[in-house]
Every structure is written in C-alpha cells, then in structure tokens.
C-alpha cells in the first residue's frame, strides 16, 4: 500500500525542499498579502471583477505554461523537474493571477494611459521574473527575458481589454 502512494506522489513532490520552494512560499505570502491589503483597504474592484480576472488568468497561466514549458515547445522548466510538480500548482493558482489583479486595481483607481501602464507592468513583471531566476524558479532553455517582456505586454493588453468588458457588463446588469 505504501508503494502505491510513493508511485503516485514521487513524480509531483520536489526532489528536495530547497530555495525554489522557499521562494515560492515567500512570494505566495507576499502577493496574497498585498492583494488582501489592497482589496480590504479600498474597494476599487468588485468581487465579480476580482473573481473574473482571477479565473481568466488562471486559465491563461495553466494553458500557456503547459504550452511553453512542455513538449513540443519546451522553452523552459520550472522548479525541480521538466514536468509539473505540486509547487507549479501553487505558482499557477496563487502566485501568477494576483499581480494582474493588483495591476488592474491600480489601473481602475488611477486610470493611467493604458499603453504606458501596460509597458510599465510588463517591465515590472519581467524584472520580478529575473529575480525568480536567481532562486531557480525557472531554467530557461530556448526562452529569454525579452520573450517574457513581450508575453507580459500581451497579457496586460488582454487583461485590460477583459477588465473593461467585465466592468461594462457589470454596469449594464
């Protein structure tokens, strides 16, 4: 019986609990803490907007992470394996969506020029990814930070469009 559990869990648990798992836990606490603080402090986004943005970005990160990090593209690995592990689930569900919600929180509050704002957030997210590289969260193969920047520009544009549409639908309801 113990062998059955070992066969199930061995491929998805980290090889060893080291800097990338500690970093994953730390950034999870940080982004969720910032998001909680902002949403409790001042209501810029409705619960429907937050939920919609969260689910939309969960879909984006899950599908595109699989596309980019797995066969046949295989541009990079995350954490300890060339395949997904349990901490990838933490990253995809608890770390990746909140920064976009935070970005849209400030977008809603300050109504900046969308192009400059998009470029700012793409640069910020790329810089945060560069920090993550120092903790072996990613191991680039045929991927580079310039691709990340382009991807984050695309992600921010799509999210701003999505947010505007969700807000419009909510106001019409």
């Amino acid at each position: 019986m113990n062998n059955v559990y070992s066969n199930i869990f061995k491929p998805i648990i980290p090889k060893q609990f080291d800097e990338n798992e500690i970093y994953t836990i730390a950034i999870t606490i940080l982004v969720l803490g910032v998001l909680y603080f902002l949403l409790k402090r001042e209501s810029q986004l409705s619960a429907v907007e937050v939920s919609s943005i969260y689910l939309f970005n969960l879909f984006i990160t899950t599908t595109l992470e699989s596309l980019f990090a797995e066969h046949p593209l295989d541009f990079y690995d995350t954490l300890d394996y060339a395949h997904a592990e349990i901490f990838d689930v933490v990253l995809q569900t608890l770390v990746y969506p909140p920064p976009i919600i935070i970005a849209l929180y400030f977008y809603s509050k300050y109504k900046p020029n969308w192009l400059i704002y998009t470029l700012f957030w793409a640069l910020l997210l790329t810089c945060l990814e560069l920090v993550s590289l120092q903790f072996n969260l990613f191991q680039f193969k045929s991927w580079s930070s310039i691709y990340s920047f382009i991807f984050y520009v695309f992600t921010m544009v799509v999210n701003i469009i999505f947010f505007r549409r969700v807000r419009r639908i909510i106001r019409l309801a």
Side-chain angles (χ1 to χ4, degrees):
M1 187 66 128
N2 194 17
N3 193 25
V4 172
Y5 294 118
S6 176
N7 289 339
I8 293 171
F9 291 111
K10 187 174 182 181
I12 63 169
I13 60 172
K15 287 180 184 176
Q16 62 184 24
F17 192 86
D18 58 14
E19 63 189 2
N20 55 32
E21 287 81 21
I22 293 168
Y23 181 73
T24 299
I25 292 168
I27 60 173
T28 301
I29 293 168
L30 178 67
V31 297
L32 291 177
V34 169
L35 182 62
Y36 178 81
F37 173 77
L38 289 175
L39 295 177
K40 285 296 178 188
R41 190 184 87 176
E42 187 178 352
S43 179
Q44 286 297 317
L45 304 173
S46 71
V48 171
E49 289 168 331
V50 170
S51 299
S52 298
I53 297 163
Y54 177 85
L55 291 172
F56 180 63
N57 282 279
L58 183 60
F59 170 75
I60 289 173
T61 188
T62 304
T63 55
L64 294 181
E65 185 88 7
S66 295
L67 176 68
F68 293 152
E70 301 289 332
H71 180 75
L73 297 179
D74 199 21
F75 291 142
Y76 55 84
D77 291 337
T78 56
L79 301 161
D80 294 335
Y81 297 106
H83 60 79
E85 68 171 74
I86 196 71
F87 276 86
D88 282 307
V89 175
V90 173
L91 287 171
Q92 291 174 354
T93 59
L94 300 176
V95 175
Y96 296 159
I100 303 299
I101 297 170
I102 292 166
L104 293 172
Y105 170 92
F106 288 115
Y107 180 81
S108 174
K109 182 173 181 169
Y110 296 111
K111 297 169 184 36
N113 175 286
W114 73 270
L115 179 60
I116 293 169
Y117 197 71
T118 295
L119 294 174
F120 167 78
W121 272 93
L123 183 61
L124 178 62
L125 291 169
T126 303
C127 289
L128 292 173
E129 184 177 279
L130 288 170
V131 171
S132 296
L133 285 170
Q134 303 309 307
F135 293 92
N136 295 316
L137 205 63
F138 303 101
Q139 298 84 43
F140 289 167
K141 294 175 181 177
S142 56
W143 190 263
S144 74
S145 293
I146 191 69
Y147 300 149
S148 294
F149 178 76
I150 294 165
F151 174 78
Y152 291 133
V153 167
F154 168 77
T155 301
M156 286 306 301
V157 168
V158 168
N159 269 281
I160 289 172
I161 292 167
F162 179 78
F163 169 68
R164 288 177 176 174
R165 289 193 176 161
V166 168
R167 182 158 276 183
R168 193 172 333 141
I169 290 168
I170 291 170
R171 289 186 178 161
L172 292 175

